[in-house]
Amino acid sequence: MNAEERRLLVLEGVRAAYGAVPVLHDVTLHVDRGEIVTLIGANGAGKSTLLMTLFGQPRATAGRILFSGQEMTALPTHRIARLGIAQVPEGRRIFPAMTVEENLILGITPLTAREQEDPGLRAALLEHVRSLFPRLWERHRQRAGTLSGGEQQMLAIGRALMSRPRLLLLDEPSLGLAPLLIRQLFAVLRRIAAEGTTIFLVEQNANQALRIADRGYVLVNGRIQMEGVAADLLADGHVRQAYLGGH
Amino acid sequence: MNGYIVGQQVINGLVLGAIYGLIAVGYTMVYGIMGMINFAHGDIYMISAYLAAIFLALLTGAGVQSVPVALVLVLALTILFTAFYGWTVERVAYRPLRNSNRLAPLISAIGVSLILQNYVRISQGARNQGIPALIEGHVRVNAADGVTIGQVTYTQILIVSAALLSMGALAWIMRHTTLGRSCRATQQDRVMAELLGINTDHIIATVFIMGAAMAAVAGLLVTLNYGSFDFFIGFVVGIKAFTAAVLGGIGSLPGAMLGGVILGLCESLFSGFVNTDYKDVFAFAVLILVLVVRPSGLLGHPEVEKV
Ligand SMILES: Nc1ncnc2c1ncn2[C@@H]1O[C@H](COP(=O)(O)OP(=O)(O)O)[C@@H](O)[C@H]1O
Ligand SMILES: [Mg+2]
């Protein structure tokens, strides 16, 4: 495979804005098949906006977004999931009034009608989530709104995995979780990656993120300011000082 | 109090409540998914009454003799055409305003309401329209001691059973099907539903279609029961059904059904024992009272505030 074939996600000079307020300026980055890539940056840098722009919410005002070589910049939001991209958005956005199981089943929407009707496939996908998050599954008949923060995060990840995405986007999944849960979460992300899913991980928890990532990007005020191999970024004095709390 | 009158008013109230509930469902579903009151919904109901009468005349003209066959055909045609009106209203008057402020679709709704009323007035005339009674006969309802406490016409029995059946079907769709799940997801978080691959424009259109279909059932049933209607019936019935939806908790499907029955009963008892002329005033007083005392309604969630 040459470099071009390896690229799963490519952003070229992407700009985005809320109304007249620009947030992203000429963002260029890529994620290769099988990689874990992390995007770190301070609060308000535009990380969440970048993930949402991939889904056209808001839509990029300039530049191109390609998935597996196919241009998706102007695709309607609901069509993008069908390409094989799933997002665990900021704030989890689970459906609180539905049961855990219903939330998970909603995750299969991007599959073809035929796949969605296949009870064997559905059972296998649910079983996969259950193997990743056994404690979550114990509550599968419970309303999702009654779950703890950690369980809701597991649910949001499980829901995203139900469509067997090729690319999994996560927006600060560790936010608000206790240290023990954060360790478990990153272990699960490693396992998901080992099973063949490419991961693009947005984190303020840069230390942990860079430890499991292959490469990283640093976003400052809507611009990519630094990029490199995760271990190099982890060792970089600048990054340490700005995003790793100095230790 | 006279047991016969109480019994009879309860029966009439249940029938009225079934009608209100059927229409209230359309208000509540649209509000739940878009955070907007579709003020044209009462007029969709009014149109369905005309459509039912037109199809009935056409079928009779075509020589359909059997009443049950005619009713089933009229029901199917009325639902189909009313649903088309509901879909068109959403497509033309609301979808282009999807990302504007909250006031714009409201004004658009009032505009649609006026257009529909005048469209019917011009095309069908302003006079009262009527259909002949199709179903004759009634059964007596007796208390345990054998005293008759009321009578129920076959039409009323048909109304309540048809209302129960269609509401049950709708509730089942919302609870157990992929479409229902997608509707609920869109209602709870529209952007997340889109991220998951749900075409929420389709879902919203479908909700308008389902609401219009329920109103069509009501339109046919009312036409059968009262036999007469005009281009303005959508206004008062619409506001009452809206009251029922608010009473039950706007956004809640079981709430709309419950609110319909409660309002129907109250209104019927009020006009039986207090005053018939003021029964509409009474219904609006209920609306104001609910809005003041418990704006979230009987089964609604207090935190519901759409963004
Ligand atoms: N829905 C929105 N409307 C307007 N401005 C927004 C919206 N969401 C975020 N912003 C602004 O865009 C900038 C980037 O925000 P965000 O992408 O959430 O950053 P991050 O995820 O890195 O914390 C911030 O200045 C924020 O205030
Ligand atoms: Mg963010």
Side-chain angles (χ1 to χ4, degrees):
Chain A
M1 252 195 310
N2 62 33
E4 203 162 299
E5 286 166 348
R6 275 206 309 275
R7 300 277 188 267
L8 187 57
L9 177 73
V10 175
L11 278 77
E12 291 174 2
V14 168
R15 292 166 178 265
Y18 294 106
V21 185
V23 175
L24 300 179
H25 312 271
D26 285 314
V27 171
T28 296
L29 58 78
H30 66 268
V31 179
D32 283 347
R33 293 170 207 276
E35 273 191 313
I36 301 182
V37 174
T38 185
L39 177 75
I40 59 179
N43 205 359
K47 307 182 295 298
S48 300
T49 303
L50 194 150
L51 286 194
M52 290 304 281
T53 301
L54 295 178
F55 279 82
Q57 305 262 349
R59 209 157 273 291
T61 52
R64 298 204 308 159
I65 306 171
L66 299 119
F67 185 70
S68 207
Q70 182 190 345
E71 170 130 19
M72 58 179 253
T73 325
L75 274 188
T77 302
H78 62 268
R79 293 274 303 281
I80 289 171
R82 285 187 229 158
L83 300 176
I85 311 177
Q87 175 155 192
V88 179
E90 180 164 49
R92 297 150 194 154
R93 299 184 92 147
I94 52 146
F95 300 104
M98 291 194 214
T99 66
V100 168
E101 187 169 7
E102 283 180 313
N103 269 273
L104 291 173
I105 300 286
L106 274 165
I108 67 174
T109 314
L111 301 180
T112 63
R114 209 203 187 123
E115 289 171 324
Q116 289 187 48
E117 299 299 311
D118 179 353
L121 177 62
R122 182 183 293 199
L125 292 167
L126 285 173
E127 181 53 41
H128 180 228
V129 172
R130 180 184 185 165
S131 75
L132 287 174
F133 306 116
R135 288 238 319 284
L136 174 69
W137 187 254
E138 285 169 18
R139 310 198 189 294
H140 72 284
R141 295 213 178 284
Q142 215 166 300
R143 273 173 42 130
T146 66
L147 298 179
S148 71
E151 288 160 347
Q152 291 190 9
Q153 192 58 260
M154 315 277 155
L155 178 55
I157 296 172
R159 179 179 64 183
L161 290 175
M162 288 294 287
S163 61
R164 290 186 304 190
R166 281 194 283 165
L167 176 63
L168 179 64
L169 312 171
L170 299 111
D171 195 343
E172 301 203 42
S174 72
L175 194 70
L177 302 190
L180 177 66
L181 276 177
I182 295 182
R183 268 203 299 284
Q184 289 173 0
L185 172 81
F186 279 96
V188 167
L189 293 185
R190 271 211 180 90
R191 182 170 153 196
I192 293 168
E195 287 168 358
T197 308
T198 305
I199 292 182
F200 186 48
L201 170 66
V202 162
E203 265 297 347
Q204 272 197 72
N205 193 337
N207 202 350
Q208 295 268 15
L210 287 169
R211 273 175 215 287
I212 68 160
D214 301 301
R215 290 187 304 115
Y217 292 88
V218 178
L219 192 70
V220 177
N221 291 330
R223 291 189 164 80
I224 300 289
Q225 198 178 62
M226 233 189 283
E227 62 177 281
V229 175
D232 294 347
L233 289 176
L234 206 49
D236 185 280
H238 244 80
V239 176
R240 293 190 78 83
Q241 198 166 19
Y243 305 105
L244 304 177
H247 44 257
Chain B
M1 279 199 277
N2 185 325
Y4 181 84
I5 298 183
V6 176
Q8 192 59 51
Q9 293 305 335
V10 167
I11 291 166
N12 295 347
L14 285 175
V15 171
L16 197 59
I19 302 284
Y20 289 161
L22 282 172
I23 305 171
V25 161
Y27 283 106
T28 230
M29 289 197 354
V30 165
Y31 181 86
I33 216 149
M34 292 171 73
M36 173 203 119
I37 311 293
N38 175 16
F39 277 113
H41 186 58
D43 301 294
I44 293 288
Y45 152 79
M46 174 272 293
I47 288 214
S48 76
Y50 276 86
L51 287 169
I54 291 170
F55 290 132
L56 210 52
L58 286 177
L59 286 174
T60 315
V64 177
Q65 298 291 333
S66 145
V67 171
V69 171
L71 279 184
V72 169
L73 285 176
V74 169
L75 179 66
L77 286 167
T78 308
I79 288 180
L80 194 71
F81 279 75
T82 310
F84 176 73
Y85 274 93
W87 177 82
T88 309
V89 166
E90 193 275 326
R91 197 72 186 74
V92 173
Y94 302 142
R95 193 181 293 186
L97 300 172
R98 191 84 91 227
N99 296 314
S100 57
N101 67 40
R102 295 179 58 150
L103 201 56
L106 211 64
I107 293 169
S108 190
I110 294 169
V112 169
S113 168
L114 292 173
I115 289 171
L116 289 177
Q117 282 173 25
N118 287 290
Y119 157 66
V120 171
R121 175 157 67 175
I122 292 166
S123 61
Q124 301 293 321
R127 275 179 306 116
N128 236 321
Q129 305 282 324
I131 62 155
L134 271 189
I135 309 169
E136 309 272 0
H138 57 79
V139 291
R140 289 182 192 290
V141 183
N142 294 332
D145 55 8
V147 177
T148 300
I149 56 165
Q151 62 179 36
V152 193
T153 66
Y154 290 133
T155 306
Q156 289 178 321
I157 293 175
L158 178 71
I159 290 180
V160 173
S161 356
L164 283 177
L165 211 66
S166 39
M167 287 190 185
L170 183 66
W172 187 85
I173 289 173
M174 294 304 285
R175 189 88 251 133
H176 295 292
T177 66
T178 303
L179 172 65
R181 227 177 356 250
S182 301
C183 284
R184 284 181 288 141
T186 306
Q187 173 167 357
Q188 287 171 45
D189 186 340
R190 176 135 183 256
V191 171
M192 190 62 224
E194 282 274 333
L195 293 188
L196 287 173
I198 296 170
N199 184 343
T200 58
D201 273 340
H202 279 179
I203 295 295
I204 290 173
T206 309
V207 162
F208 273 81
I209 286 172
M210 291 195 289
M214 300 296 278
V217 176
L220 171 63
L221 295 175
V222 168
T223 307
L224 289 177
N225 197 38
Y226 300 110
S228 106
F229 49 86
D230 60 40
F231 70 95
F232 202 58
I233 55 165
F235 180 72
V236 171
V237 174
I239 292 192
K240 285 185 186 165
F242 173 63
T243 305
V246 173
L247 177 61
I250 189 118
S252 156
L253 206 52
M257 303 173 189
L258 181 68
V261 170
I262 293 177
L263 188 70
L265 280 174
C266 290
E267 185 181 320
S268 182
L269 290 170
F270 181 88
S271 50
F273 294 106
V274 186
N275 186 318
T276 314
D277 295 338
Y278 286 104
K279 68 181 195 324
D280 295 346
V281 176
F282 170 76
F284 301 145
V286 170
L287 173 60
I288 292 168
L289 195 72
V290 176
L291 286 175
V292 170
V293 177
R294 198 179 154 85
S296 59
L298 297 170
L299 304 181
H301 302 288
E303 78 278 15
V304 170
E305 169 61 25
K306 283 266 165 182
V307 279

